Amino acid sequence: MGILAHVDAGKTTLSECLLYHANVIKTMGRVDKKDAYLDTDEAEKMRGITIYAKQAELNLEGRAFTLLDTPGHVDFSPETERVLQVLDICVLVISGASGVQSHTKTLWRLLRTYNVPTIIFVNKMDQDGTDKTKLLHEIKKELSVDADVFFDGDKISNEFVEMAAATDEALLSEYLEVGNLDNTKITELFNKSAVFPVFFGSALKDIDVDKLIYGITMLSPDNKYGDTFGARVFKITRDEAGNRLTHIKVTGGSLKLKDVIQGKTREGEDYSAKINRIYICSGIGKREVTEVHAGDVCTLFGIEETFIGAGLGFEENEYEELLVPVIDYAVKYESRTDKTKVYSYLKTLEEEEPALHVNFDEETGEITVSLMGEVQIEILKETVKKRFLINIDFSAGKILYKETINNKVEGVGHFEPLRHYAEVHLLMEPLPRGEGLIFDTVANEDELARNWQRLILTHLEERVHKGVLTGSPITDMKITLCSGKAHLKHTEGGDFRQATYRAVRMGLMCAESVLLEPYYRFTVEVPSDSVGRVMTILDERHATFTSPEVQGDYSVIEGTGPVSTLNGLQIEINKFTGGLGHFNAVVSGYDKCHNPEEVIENRAYNPDSDLKNPSASVFCMHGAGATIPWNEVRDYMHIPFMSEYVNEAVFELKPLSESVKQELSPDEEEKQLKQIFESTYGTIKSKFDVDYIDNDNVTYAWNGRAKARPEKGPVRRERPEDYDYEKEAKHKHGSNNTKKDKYLLVDGYNVIFAWPLLNDMARTNMDGARTLLQDILCDYQGFTGINVIIVYDAYKVLSHKAEITEYRNIHVVFTATAQTADAYIERCAYEMSTEHDVTCATSDGLEQVIIVGAGCKLISSRELEKEVTRVKEEGVNEYNKKVSGSVKERLKMPESLL
């Protein structure tokens, strides 16, 4: 049984009263006296509010219950929501002095979403001015018409029975014949959430709480469970020693010590864990047990793989929070504090509070968290200081925007560097606000096997896809896999990941994107003489609202408006009402941004520069990967568009992109690179063969076939085996081609562990291995004139800043903490490839794929070793020839001249 309420409605007081009636406590504790049984945390005692969900065991009228007390403050509503997934019954507490408040409505919507049978208890009826009739009318109007007073004296009220009978035709006929309904029929309706009993009383004065207890025991369901073990995780905590605790409700079978349970990680991987300890918690205490059964709420000790919302046994992982923060805050800390430790500590807290959404930006080094409000900010700062002994603060909050689309489009992603292949076609269409993302497939299994289709859907679900306006997450759209293609030999799972991501991105680039921002649903209550000013302020802040409703000396306005403009409104209302006005707001969802141009300009997001979310596709051209911009992909894709939703306006038939021309450049270095590839992978067979045509005719590629400009007529001829590439280059580009500076980017540790000599040395002396590699590449630079940059990975080095130094005639880079050498090289490859001739040396498979996709040349670590040896031998031979010639000349000279 859960107890929910708006803050200060008396929820904790009611919990104390129930525990008192169940003889769990001898005297009722009070929030103001800081001795409540369930508010055990110091922060809760100091502020007089419930922050963390707590549980207690109690027995009411001979029935055993686990009571789950939840936070009432809106800043901790995600904690409340997580409890709902394990409840059998709930008591929603409403203050008789305040009536149905804004957060009460939010909690009611959550209860209906999770379909939890709900009893309504109107508390504080001992206070002057409370009116049962008025409050019941408000409950029916704001919550449900199927709510009514349950008891009239010692029996169920006629009004409630009539209301219950009206919900079903068969019951109505029975009621009209007999004049009453059996209690079991009423209980069935209650457990179907068809009716909602209402009780009035006072928890502080213990008035009519006994009637509430009788109603709870009468209406609570007799759950029937299966024999197979299952459980749902609803909370993660840590004990005083830092041990991880997993809080579960058993939903089937039983669980004993030393049992091995099965589950899936957040990533969907299977795991098993042995149960070493089981606890039953009650208030601040806990007792160890050897077995728990279906319906029990218990705590498991030490399992690391679980997470909030996870299913154990036969239960599936299926939980997505509805209440999420909409403001991001950057974490601030002292300069001497290690950022990796701060990030690690916050990720630990994220396990307990998933709504934090802790994020680390590798480019800026900034750590951000998502928070609900000021109270949660203060609690988080206190928690970090208490548990991890460091001080943190937060910057001003930033609104969390989202993006969607306004029209149907088809996105195409192709990923085909050497010896890889995948193509994906996705139909993307907008959904109504609040629907989120829906993924589906209609692809033909004869064309794309079922296992590849499942993999593509997994890749769609596994990450947060960014929009192209501000880089914000996308939402409210259906993405349907309509076609795709794999290669029998060369396709791997990672290929479809790349193709899927690129297809989503290409679709977004083609679509008409819409920027969304979070909106509040609010209620403003002010003295009637201030209502005009409030309406003016709301209008200035882009809110929409109803006409004021006069309630005595006050006027009430309800409406919706952007979070970005309504934040801080309570402070302004306090100023001109002398503290008599109230502003209550909850996030109602996302809608169109009121100032998209301003937000987009301020964010200054460039989708083409977002290297982690590329919109371009990669095609294989003459044995190497060529990057094709998103608006040229249709000229190269291997499968035609599968739908009519193609935005023709964004596509222009263009000549082969510059990246392709670079791959087809026939200079001597390109020939040597081709030889290196063939020596490693065998003969390269190109999927495209673009013919030489004079400057007046430009060849286009279409689905793998050459296609000339239509008005010029098709021209096609095959290149002969002995084709003169040098002559073609001169004809196309002129004889005075400007050569680009050459750069060699070396993944230092990858090379060290790939070269036997350096690998052996690194086992005992890593510094020596690094120095020897640098000496070898200094010689290589001297022989070839190529600019050499060696990048070493400092990813796990604490508090290390990026360091770039000169070592003789080359450059050496040590990356910053939390930045890998892979990421550094990939970024450099993208940034340098357009202006310079860049070759990357690494044997990392994924890094090779990304580098080739960036339009750079590639050489493996072992091939670099051979290349260095060859260049050195040629250089030494040339040097010996020069020295030998010089000696011979000296011997011919007269002795006097010598």
Side-chain angles (χ1 to χ4, degrees):
M1 175 174 60
I3 297 187
L4 277 67
H6 189 287
V7 68
D8 293 332
K11 171 183 54 60
T12 299
T13 306
L14 178 60
S15 297
E16 292 289 313
C17 194
L18 294 176
L19 292 167
Y20 174 74
H21 277 266
N23 295 318
V24 176
I25 55 178
K26 294 182 179 180
T27 58
M28 290 170 51
R30 291 181 55 149
V31 174
D32 55 347
K33 293 182 179 180
K34 303 179 181 180
D35 61 352
Y37 182 79
L38 293 173
D39 284 350
T40 57
D41 190 88
E42 287 301 320
E44 294 177 319
K45 294 179 180 179
M46 184 176 68
R47 288 174 173 80
I49 60 174
T50 301
I51 298 173
Y52 308 105
K54 303 279 183 23
Q55 77 180 66
E57 291 182 284
L58 68 162
N59 192 294
L60 299 174
E61 302 288 338
R63 297 197 65 178
F65 287 85
T66 299
L67 175 66
L68 294 173
D69 188 23
T70 63
H73 197 285
V74 66
D75 280 12
F76 308 102
S77 48
E79 175 91 352
T80 300
E81 183 186 352
R82 288 189 282 271
V83 171
L84 300 187
Q85 59 182 319
V86 298
L87 294 184
D88 298 309
I89 185 175
C90 178
V91 177
L92 178 65
V93 183
I94 297 174
S95 169
S98 304
V100 177
Q101 297 169 279
S102 58
H103 191 50
T104 310
K105 299 176 187 178
T106 301
L107 294 173
W108 183 261
R109 281 190 291 271
L110 286 174
L111 288 166
R112 302 287 60 78
T113 300
Y114 288 91
N115 197 30
V116 181
T118 305
I119 293 173
I120 299 172
F121 180 72
V122 185
N123 194 23
K124 301 186 179 182
M125 292 303 294
D126 57 313
Q127 296 187 10
D128 294 336
T130 55
D131 186 328
K132 282 187 178 182
T133 303
K134 181 180 177 182
L135 287 166
L136 182 61
H137 175 74
E138 186 178 4
I139 290 170
K140 285 179 170 289
K141 177 184 176 183
E142 302 293 345
L143 302 184
S144 175
V145 295
D146 294 318
D148 214 323
V149 177
F150 190 65
F151 276 131
D152 181 10
D154 295 330
K155 65 182 184 66
I156 300 176
S157 68
N158 292 331
E159 292 80 7
F160 189 88
V161 175
E162 289 179 5
M163 179 194 70
T167 62
D168 183 89
E169 290 186 7
L171 290 179
L172 182 59
S173 299
E174 179 183 338
Y175 174 73
L176 292 175
E177 288 182 12
V178 181
N180 201 354
L181 286 181
D182 188 73
N183 287 352
T184 56
K185 300 287 181 63
I186 294 177
T187 300
E188 288 176 6
L189 289 173
F190 169 76
N191 285 291
K192 293 177 182 178
S193 294
V195 292
F196 306 100
V198 180
F199 295 83
F200 292 88
S202 171
L204 183 63
K205 300 289 182 64
D206 196 6
I207 299 174
D208 288 337
V209 175
D210 55 339
K211 292 183 178 179
L212 172 66
I213 292 173
Y214 182 72
I216 291 171
T217 56
M218 171 186 168
L219 296 168
S220 294
D222 290 320
N223 290 327
K224 297 180 180 179
Y225 300 97
D227 296 331
T228 305
F229 171 73
R232 174 72 59 196
V233 179
F234 70 94
K235 188 177 176 68
I236 300 290
T237 59
R238 292 183 184 270
D239 62 17
E240 298 80 0
N243 299 306
R244 200 169 188 269
L245 303 176
T246 300
H247 300 258
I248 66 170
K249 177 190 176 182
V250 182
T251 57
S254 61
L255 183 65
K256 301 178 182 178
L257 280 179
K258 305 306 178 182
D259 281 353
V260 176
I261 60 173
Q262 310 296 326
K264 289 184 181 292
T265 64
R266 196 183 297 274
E267 293 75 27
E269 298 179 0
D270 293 325
Y271 74 88
S272 58
K274 189 175 183 180
I275 304 302
N276 293 316
R277 295 183 195 173
I278 305 174
Y279 297 115
I280 299 291
C281 298
S282 188
I284 198 172
K286 61 183 179 183
R287 58 187 175 89
E288 193 166 349
V289 297
T290 59
E291 185 176 5
V292 286
H293 301 276
D296 289 341
V297 176
C298 64
T299 303
L300 307 181
F301 178 87
I303 303 176
E304 296 295 331
E305 295 86 357
T306 54
F307 58 93
I308 291 175
L312 304 177
F314 69 81
E315 294 281 6
E316 298 289 335
N317 299 344
E318 49 176 32
Y319 176 63
E320 182 178 352
E321 291 185 339
L322 301 177
L323 298 179
V324 294
V326 294
I327 302 179
D328 254 0
Y329 296 84
V331 182
K332 299 191 291 185
Y333 43 88
E334 297 175 358
S335 57
R336 63 185 179 183
T337 305
D338 184 356
K339 74 171 65 174
T340 57
K341 288 186 177 180
V342 176
Y343 180 68
S344 174
Y345 296 153
L346 291 173
K347 291 298 284 185
T348 298
L349 294 178
E350 186 184 36
E351 294 181 3
E352 305 168 20
E353 178 50 78
L356 286 177
H357 298 300
V358 181
N359 182 58
F360 178 78
D361 191 318
E362 289 189 6
E363 294 184 5
T364 63
E366 186 178 69
I367 301 172
T368 59
V369 296
S370 301
L371 298 169
M372 296 290 288
E374 293 296 326
V375 178
Q376 190 184 15
I377 289 174
E378 294 302 317
I379 295 298
L380 183 58
K381 290 194 288 188
E382 293 173 12
T383 302
V384 171
K385 184 175 182 178
K386 178 181 178 181
R387 289 176 56 174
F388 307 116
L389 307 178
I390 61 172
N391 294 310
I392 64 170
D393 204 347
F394 299 95
S395 67
K398 295 181 181 179
I399 298 296
L400 291 174
Y401 292 92
K402 293 187 179 182
E403 298 181 29
T404 188
I405 58 176
N406 210 29
N407 59 325
K408 293 182 180 181
V409 292
E410 183 175 331
V412 179
H414 188 97
F415 190 69
E416 190 189 5
L418 187 63
R419 295 199 170 186
H420 293 267
Y421 187 92
E423 181 164 305
V424 173
H425 287 238
L426 300 174
L427 176 62
M428 305 169 67
E429 48 193 323
L431 292 177
R433 298 287 178 264
E435 291 294 317
L437 293 174
I438 298 176
F439 305 109
D440 196 7
T441 177
V442 294
N444 190 330
E445 291 186 9
D446 294 334
E447 298 174 358
L448 186 65
R450 180 181 298 181
N451 62 311
W452 292 129
Q453 294 189 34
R454 289 175 176 172
L455 184 62
I456 292 169
L457 292 177
T458 298
H459 293 325
L460 284 171
E461 296 172 355
E462 71 188 0
R463 77 178 307 191
V464 176
H465 299 280
K466 290 186 176 182
V468 297
L469 298 178
T470 61
S472 302
I474 62 173
T475 187
D476 296 344
M477 65 178 76
K478 182 178 181 180
I479 302 179
T480 305
L481 171 63
C482 50
S483 184
K485 187 176 181 181
H487 191 282
L488 290 175
K489 181 178 180 182
H490 296 309
T491 298
E492 299 176 358
D495 300 343
F496 272 111
R497 175 184 286 111
Q498 287 290 330
T500 301
Y501 294 170
R502 293 166 193 266
V504 172
R505 197 71 169 171
M506 186 253 200
L508 293 173
M509 295 292 281
C510 294
E512 177 188 341
S513 291
V514 179
L515 186 64
L516 306 177
E517 67 177 331
Y519 274 67
Y520 276 142
R521 182 175 53 255
F522 63 83
T523 302
V524 180
E525 184 179 359
V526 294
S528 294
D529 57 0
S530 301
V531 69
R533 186 169 181 178
V534 170
M535 293 173 69
T536 301
I537 293 173
L538 290 174
D539 190 59
E540 290 173 349
R541 297 194 180 208
H542 305 279
T544 58
F545 47 89
T546 60
S547 298
E549 181 181 340
V550 179
Q551 297 179 359
D553 295 334
Y554 282 79
S555 292
V556 178
I557 301 174
E558 295 184 345
T560 60
V563 172
S564 59
T565 62
L566 295 179
N567 260 347
L569 184 58
Q570 178 66 64
I571 297 173
E572 189 171 351
I573 290 175
N574 285 342
K575 289 180 180 178
F576 66 78
T577 64
L580 298 177
H582 300 284
F583 174 74
N584 295 309
V586 293
V587 177
S588 61
Y590 279 76
D591 210 335
K592 283 187 177 181
C593 182
H594 77 283
N595 59 337
E597 296 84 3
E598 180 183 346
V599 174
I600 293 170
E601 182 179 356
N602 291 338
R603 290 294 176 100
Y605 176 73
N606 184 355
D608 292 324
S609 300
D610 190 344
L611 306 183
K612 294 183 178 179
N613 297 276
S615 57
S617 286
V618 179
F619 289 83
C620 188
M621 303 282 188
H622 286 273
T627 303
I628 304 299
W630 63 271
N631 57 337
E632 296 181 38
V633 168
R634 68 176 295 171
D635 300 338
Y636 301 90
M637 62 190 188
H638 295 178
I639 305 173
F641 282 121
M642 303 302 294
S643 69
E644 69 273 23
Y645 302 107
V646 180
N647 190 346
E648 299 289 345
V650 300
F651 294 110
E652 298 176 5
L653 197 59
K654 296 183 178 181
L656 294 174
S657 63
E658 291 299 317
S659 58
V660 180
K661 291 179 181 177
Q662 291 172 11
E663 295 297 341
L664 299 179
S665 178
D667 59 16
E668 191 61 33
E669 286 77 14
E670 191 72 1
K671 288 183 178 180
Q672 290 180 1
L673 180 60
K674 183 178 179 182
Q675 292 171 359
I676 293 171
F677 267 108
E678 290 185 341
S679 68
T680 307
Y681 302 110
T683 304
I684 300 171
K685 295 182 179 180
S686 177
K687 289 183 179 293
F688 291 86
D689 188 10
V690 182
D691 305 325
Y692 163 67
I693 300 177
D694 62 37
N695 287 334
D696 294 329
N697 268 317
V698 183
T699 299
Y700 292 78
W702 183 269
N703 288 344
R705 297 182 179 180
K707 183 176 181 181
R709 193 186 303 273
E711 61 268 25
K712 295 288 185 179
V715 180
R716 178 176 178 82
R717 55 180 182 272
E718 302 295 332
R719 284 194 180 104
E721 293 269 342
D722 57 348
Y723 189 80
D724 191 340
Y725 287 93
E726 185 175 354
K727 180 178 178 181
E728 176 183 345
K730 290 180 180 179
H731 186 87
K732 279 188 174 182
H733 309 292
S735 57
N736 296 324
N737 254 356
T738 302
K739 289 193 174 182
K740 296 181 178 181
D741 292 336
K742 296 182 179 181
Y743 281 84
L744 174 66
L745 292 173
V746 180
D747 188 336
Y749 289 129
N750 190 284
V751 170
I752 286 175
F753 293 118
W755 293 11
L757 173 65
L758 298 178
N759 189 14
D760 291 341
M761 181 179 291
R763 293 175 183 174
T764 57
N765 186 355
M766 181 57 77
D767 288 339
R770 282 197 297 260
T771 302
L772 180 55
L773 173 61
Q774 289 160 201
D775 289 338
I776 292 172
L777 293 181
C778 282
D779 291 342
Y780 180 75
Q781 196 282 333
F783 284 128
T784 62
I786 297 174
N787 298 294
V788 176
I789 302 174
I790 306 177
V791 183
Y792 293 113
D793 194 333
Y795 177 74
K796 295 183 179 180
V797 180
L798 298 179
S799 302
H800 188 274
K801 296 182 178 179
E803 180 182 351
I804 304 175
T805 60
E806 290 187 8
Y807 182 84
R808 291 162 56 186
N809 57 336
I810 66 174
H811 289 84
V812 177
V813 177
F814 284 90
T815 65
T817 299
Q819 183 183 30
T820 63
D822 297 356
Y824 188 95
I825 290 174
E826 290 161 15
R827 189 185 71 184
C828 288
Y830 272 98
E831 292 176 353
M832 296 171 63
S833 60
T834 57
E835 302 294 333
H836 304 287
D837 185 349
V838 181
T839 301
C840 298
T842 180
S843 291
D844 185 298
L846 180 58
E847 189 179 357
Q848 287 179 334
V849 169
I850 295 173
I851 287 167
V852 171
C856 297
K857 299 175 183 177
L858 175 67
I859 186 171
S860 70
S861 297
R862 296 302 298 271
E863 285 297 324
L864 177 63
E865 182 181 23
K866 296 178 183 178
E867 176 70 3
V868 166
T869 302
R870 181 189 65 78
V871 169
K872 183 176 181 179
E873 290 175 352
E874 291 180 356
V876 170
N877 291 337
E878 186 66 26
Y879 176 77
N880 289 338
K881 289 179 182 178
K882 291 181 179 180
V883 171
S884 176
S886 176
V887 171
K888 290 178 181 179
E889 291 297 324
R890 286 163 61 87
L891 292 177
K892 292 178 182 179
M893 293 178 185
E895 188 174 347
S896 58
L897 186 59
L898 288 172

